Amino acid sequence: MGEFCACALVRGNRRRNNVLRAQAQNAEMIPHSSHWGAFSAERVDGALIVRPHPDDPNPSPLLRNIPASLSHPARIASPVVRRGWLADGPGPDDRRGRDEFVQVSWDEVLDRLAAELRRVYDEHGPRAVYGGSYGWASAGRFHHAQGQLHRFLALAGGYTRSVNTYSGGAAEVLLPHVLGPFDSVTRSVVTWDQLAAHTDTVLAFGGMALKNSTVGAGGVSRHVERDAMRAAKARGTEFVLVGPLRADLSEDVDALWLPIEPGTDTALMLGLAHTLLVDGLHDRAFLHTHTAGWPEFEAYLQDKDAAWASAICGVPAADIRRLARTIARGRTLITVSQSLQRAEHGEQPVWAGLALAAMLGQIGLPGGGFVYGLGSLAHYGRPRNAVPVPTMVRTVNPVRDFIPVARVADMLLHPGEPYEYNGEHRTYPDTKLVYWCGGNPFHHHQDLNRLRRAVARVDTFVVHEPAWTATARHADVVLPATVTLEREDIGAGGTDPLVVAMRRAADPFGEARDDYAIFSGLAARLGFTDGFTEGRTAREWLEHLWLRTQKALAGKGFPAPDFDEFWAAGEWRLPSGPDDGGVLASFRTDPEGRPLHTPSGRIEIGSATIAGFGYDDCPGHPAWLEPTEAPDERHPLRLVANQPATRLHSQLDFGATSAAAKVRGREVVRVHPDDAAARGILDGDVVRLHNDRGACLAAARITDDVRRGVVQLPTGAWYSPLDPDDPTALCVHGNPNVLTRDVGSSRLAQGCTGQLTVVQLSRWEGKVPPVRAHEPPTVRTTA
Ligand code: PGD
């Protein structure tokens, strides 16, 4: 998409768009950024033209979603309060999500909310305020929604926070035990440049789909993954894709596809390890000098031969043996995608992949060994910047309590009850007020009908949102937030060298305010304006945050523009740090054998710490553990609920790229031809996916790019119940999280398990209900 088609981004017909484009040559180019790419924006006759950054070799199609963000009817125009909350006051209420809203003035809503915060702090204390507020929000370092909320709540008295992410919850807890601190052993240890230059075989468990690496938190100026894979292929690299979906590795690399049964990669890894062992292809010296726990794992492997693995994962035993011999030749990189660990026992494929790579003895060599998450996000596989990027100042939260992020519904439903996490026995707090800013739990959480019941239990649910997402619809207090194009900010990510002066391109929609302005208004009412604002306007904060980068540049002898120079230039390129393999390379090659930050200082194939926790769902070495939920007669299909290709999560679901990919207004489910034929389903039919937790509609796309017995429905279509009064309502739009199971990956990490579940599929025979997900709810102007 070098010739990025701006015409797709403006309203009107092609002829008019060409006129607009011609006019745009003279219009002001406004530098800006998003999680899916740096770009410039131009306003022409009220329309917005978005152009990708000229240096981006493979701009993201998600940029086309941006123009709709300015004035789509789904935008929230004014502050509103749920009628029941306004009339009856705070308290548990199952009308959330089906009540009307009443428009109120900013002064009134901030007065009421400040009073409610004061009440909850006084009567229940700060643990009763849940401010985890997970979510990707938008690029921009100052108006970082979650950061603003955390700062505000910390100063208000504190809040229960969340730890880890929905993206990588299982790996984030496991890897520090067995390899080292998460960031230091993931993002930059194996880079795309190394892969292109050194790797002979890439064994990609879960693939490395370009739709995923199109996105990187904070922003990305160059999407390098496609070209790096092409360069590797041209040099002769073999790519092997292990996964149920063919599209999880680019067609460019002509990968060998092993369409595995979802959720069984650990068994395949163990079968490969067994073959290496019996063929004597493992690196005994490396295992002896650089790992801990090998003897227990070796003993465990004895009966995990290729035939055993084949019976579980569906890959023929002969292929497993052949693959083991292939990866034992030349430089091999084993990658494990984030999606694999977003499942029950999600710790195991990460750990088993690491153990398999350790047996090959290449960890720490350029382009070899093991890497978690390469290809899952744009900010992986690149060297770190040599200087820090601007980031918001943190404030200490006086409350130490937290929950693992994906346990939020559990917390709300089970106040005061115990749970286990990472070797600790913990207790859920009794939550009275939930405050969300920059996330969409009614997109991202599992078992949405259960989440509805959970949210009904709190006294007050506050949401800042630019648009009428299902989360906003379930709130009591809805505060309209600006989108990035309506404010100034600095766009930057730790492994992308471009810092972008995100200039403002439009006035706020309706009465929308920046999150910072909303919190400033609340802080004033609660008596800590100075603590929150430190006397700075938003522009003064940007100047303040830039200083850190400016000083670091100067300290290292690089050109160091002051803020005004940076702002006038529109962007600044930071120097990159070395592409040297980081801690894994120094662990391997340092003459002093620099130890890893694990208990043994080595790669822990077996972990005494984890074994000591005594968890049957995460024992002391990688192991195959049967999933609780398996296909059966009632639910014979595995659903893969993965990341969408047409939007970031649920963001801008109404944008052009997202909307264009829907069929009959709803999300597309991919179905194998045999599974479709067995159910009389034709391509384009509306189908119903269902299990005991819920049901949704989607449009069928029949393709042999999915394994037989597997259906794939991406996340992110805004949850849209047919009848909001029905607690198990059908989602007519195609949100798979009405079907997924709300359990933690294990007692170790309690990570999100939304990637896989089991379902039945049938043709929808009735009248097809309309999708109204992007229409605003009823808002009354008087109570
Ligand atoms: P987003 O759609 O990015 O999803 O979950 P997440 O909640 O991050 O939501 C961000 C919200 O922030 C949007 O509604 C957007 O409008 C709002 N927003 C944007 N900018 C601003 C701003 O400046 N201010 C305010 N107040 N709001 C703003 C993503 C999560 O989903 C993730 S990271 C993963 S990896 C998980 N993946 C899966 C999965 O693989 N399978 C299933 N089934 N479920 C998943 N859920 C998880």
Side-chain angles (χ1 to χ4, degrees):
M1 210 192 322
E3 271 292 291
F4 192 87
C5 184
C7 59
L9 309 176
V10 292
R11 287 188 232 107
N13 61 31
R14 182 178 288 273
R15 199 186 65 77
R16 178 172 151 74
N17 293 335
N18 287 338
V19 173
L20 290 180
R21 236 183 316 165
Q23 288 172 344
Q25 308 303 321
N26 302 321
E28 191 199 357
M29 305 277 284
I30 303 163
H32 215 76
S33 191
S34 66
H35 291 311
W36 48 94
F39 65 94
S40 60
E42 297 160 35
R43 295 303 300 270
V44 182
D45 288 349
L48 186 86
I49 299 178
V50 169
R51 290 179 199 281
H53 194 281
D55 291 350
D56 193 339
N58 187 24
S60 171
L62 273 56
L63 286 176
R64 291 198 187 98
N65 286 333
I66 290 175
S69 70
L70 292 185
S71 57
H72 192 276
R75 285 291 303 270
I76 305 173
S78 60
V80 300
V81 175
R82 188 173 64 75
R83 183 188 290 281
W85 191 85
L86 198 58
D88 306 333
D93 195 338
D94 65 8
R95 286 174 293 178
R96 289 192 179 102
R98 57 194 179 92
D99 210 353
E100 283 182 345
F101 290 99
V102 179
Q103 186 178 336
V104 285
S105 70
W106 272 110
D107 273 345
E108 182 181 350
V109 81
L110 293 178
D111 286 348
R112 285 181 183 273
L113 181 51
E116 170 61 356
L117 281 162
R118 207 174 282 122
R119 179 190 76 84
V120 173
Y121 278 112
D122 288 350
E123 291 179 11
H124 304 283
R127 272 186 91 220
V129 176
Y130 180 64
S133 184
Y134 181 80
W136 269 61
S138 295
R141 288 292 159 180
F142 171 65
H143 293 287
H144 181 253
Q146 226 185 56
Q148 291 290 347
L149 171 66
H150 290 167
R151 192 176 152 73
F152 167 77
L153 288 179
L155 291 164
Y159 61 100
T160 299
R161 67 197 161 101
S162 62
V163 294
N164 310 325
T165 67
Y166 275 77
S167 307
E172 285 158 3
V173 178
L174 173 80
L175 285 174
H177 285 293
V178 301
L179 195 58
F182 186 75
D183 261 2
S184 72
V185 298
T186 53
R187 290 191 189 198
S188 303
V189 288
V190 179
T191 60
W192 289 104
D193 285 347
Q194 290 179 25
L195 187 153
H198 299 284
T199 312
D200 296 315
T201 303
V202 178
L203 175 53
F205 289 94
M208 298 190 292
L210 292 174
K211 71 173 172 64
N212 294 337
S213 55
T214 206
V215 169
V220 51
S221 62
R222 302 187 70 243
H223 291 88
V224 299
E225 297 78 5
R226 179 196 63 184
D227 291 352
M229 284 195 253
R230 283 182 181 170
K233 186 70 193 172
R235 193 181 44 76
T237 306
E238 288 299 328
F239 287 81
V240 182
L241 164 64
V242 178
L245 312 175
R246 196 201 301 264
D248 276 344
L249 208 44
S250 165
E251 281 179 3
D252 290 347
V253 301
D254 191 21
L256 168 69
W257 181 32
L258 300 179
I260 192 172
E261 170 73 17
T264 65
D265 299 73
T266 305
L268 174 58
M269 290 165 178
L270 295 172
L272 291 167
H274 181 276
T275 305
L276 293 180
L277 186 66
V278 295
D279 286 8
L281 295 172
H282 54 308
D283 187 335
R284 286 192 191 82
F286 185 82
L287 289 167
H288 181 68
T289 53
H290 285 77
T291 72
W294 165 248
E296 298 98 278
F297 187 58
E298 185 181 16
Y300 174 74
L301 282 180
Q302 294 309 315
D303 56 354
K304 307 293 179 297
D305 64 12
W308 169 86
S310 174
I312 296 169
C313 72
V315 177
D319 289 354
I320 298 177
R321 290 192 201 96
R322 198 173 310 121
L323 180 59
R325 288 159 199 154
T326 303
I327 61 174
R329 286 194 298 271
R331 183 66 50 89
T332 293
L333 179 63
I334 293 175
T335 68
V336 176
S337 70
Q338 289 206 311
S339 54
L340 292 198
Q341 53 82 66
R342 214 172 293 133
E344 190 184 21
H345 309 138
E347 296 83 0
Q348 301 310 316
V350 180
W351 203 355
L354 173 66
L356 183 62
M359 290 178 74
L360 296 175
Q362 297 185 12
I363 293 173
L365 292 177
F370 167 82
V371 64
Y372 163 77
L374 185 70
S376 296
L377 287 163
H379 48 260
Y380 279 46
R382 299 153 191 252
R384 280 168 204 286
N385 296 327
V387 293
V389 296
T391 44
M392 194 48 194
V393 182
R394 283 171 194 253
T395 307
V396 177
N397 176 9
V399 176
R400 305 311 307 155
D401 204 2
F402 64 82
I403 58 160
V405 66
R407 298 294 81 228
V408 58
D410 249 19
M411 170 188 74
L412 300 178
L413 289 166
H414 300 286
E417 292 187 25
Y419 68 97
E420 289 180 78
Y421 167 72
N422 202 12
E424 296 177 14
H425 292 270
R426 306 185 59 84
T427 308
Y428 288 127
D430 188 357
T431 308
K432 298 295 175 193
L433 185 145
V434 173
Y435 207 131
W436 227 285
C437 180
N440 187 3
F442 277 88
H443 143 66
H444 70 227
H445 196 62
Q446 286 56 66
D447 196 348
L448 292 181
N449 291 324
R450 181 172 191 252
L451 183 65
R452 287 186 83 182
R453 294 195 294 279
V455 161
R457 297 190 60 138
V458 300
D459 287 357
T460 296
F461 184 19
V462 189
V463 171
H464 293 199
E465 246 298 337
W468 277 112
T469 61
T471 299
R473 287 169 196 262
H474 282 80
D476 300 312
V477 178
V478 182
L479 303 179
T482 51
V483 296
T484 64
L485 281 163
E486 295 162 350
R487 59 198 189 216
E488 295 180 342
D489 212 329
I490 298 176
T495 58
D496 190 280
L498 201 73
V499 183
V500 181
M502 296 168 64
R503 296 203 203 128
R504 183 173 146 143
D507 291 334
F509 179 83
E511 295 178 42
R513 291 186 180 177
D514 300 346
D515 296 304
Y516 177 65
I518 300 172
F519 289 127
S520 300
L522 283 171
R525 284 162 174 82
L526 293 167
F528 56 90
T529 299
D530 291 347
F532 183 71
T533 67
E534 298 187 10
R536 295 190 186 95
T537 62
R539 169 56 86 90
E540 286 164 348
W541 270 108
L542 300 189
E543 295 174 12
H544 178 68
L545 300 187
W546 175 255
L547 263 183
R548 174 177 182 233
T549 302
Q550 185 188 347
K551 278 187 192 155
L553 283 167
K556 294 201 168 182
F558 294 109
D562 64 17
F563 180 80
D564 290 340
E565 276 177 81
F566 157 65
W567 200 255
E571 62 182 41
W572 201 261
R573 193 162 289 280
L574 303 179
S576 290
D579 181 6
D580 60 2
V583 295
L584 297 186
S586 55
F587 164 63
R588 178 188 189 94
T589 53
D590 190 332
E592 290 167 24
R594 207 176 303 170
L596 294 174
H597 288 284
T598 58
S600 62
R602 296 173 170 205
I603 298 163
E604 301 222 345
I605 294 177
S607 161
T609 309
I610 295 176
F613 298 156
Y615 297 149
D616 54 0
D617 54 2
C618 190
H621 58 71
W624 166 248
L625 305 169
E626 289 285 344
T628 311
E629 211 183 44
D632 58 19
E633 269 181 26
R634 293 178 60 234
H635 304 118
L637 301 171
R638 283 241 193 231
L639 170 67
V640 178
N642 60 353
Q643 300 298 328
T646 58
R647 59 190 166 251
L648 166 62
H649 309 309
S650 69
Q651 293 199 28
L652 306 180
D653 186 30
F654 48 74
T657 298
S658 179
K662 294 182 195 270
V663 172
R664 299 170 75 181
R666 63 205 82 224
E667 211 54 33
V668 169
V669 59
R670 286 173 179 74
V671 188
H672 189 275
D674 294 351
D675 296 319
R679 292 163 178 79
I681 293 169
L682 301 177
D683 197 71
D685 277 352
V686 171
V687 292
R688 177 169 169 265
L689 292 90
H690 53 100
N691 62 22
D692 291 338
R693 285 176 288 277
C696 69
L697 298 185
R701 165 75 14 91
I702 300 174
T703 169
D704 61 8
D705 283 351
V706 298
R707 180 188 156 91
R708 191 179 292 107
V710 173
V711 290
Q712 177 253 330
L713 178 65
T715 57
W718 288 7
Y719 168 63
S720 185
L722 178 62
D723 173 10
D725 290 338
D726 173 0
T728 57
L730 173 82
C731 170
V732 298
H733 193 191
N735 186 318
N737 275 327
V738 296
L739 301 160
T740 51
R741 199 163 150 248
D742 186 7
V743 292
S745 54
S746 77
R747 284 183 284 164
L748 181 82
Q750 299 282 10
C752 161
T753 58
Q755 187 74 189
L756 300 176
T757 190
V758 294
V759 294
Q760 180 54 291
L761 184 69
S762 51
R763 200 156 165 266
W764 179 257
E765 300 293 354
K767 191 166 170 255
V768 179
V771 178
R772 303 202 191 284
H774 302 144
E775 294 173 16
T778 306
V779 175
R780 306 278 175 212
T781 45
T782 48

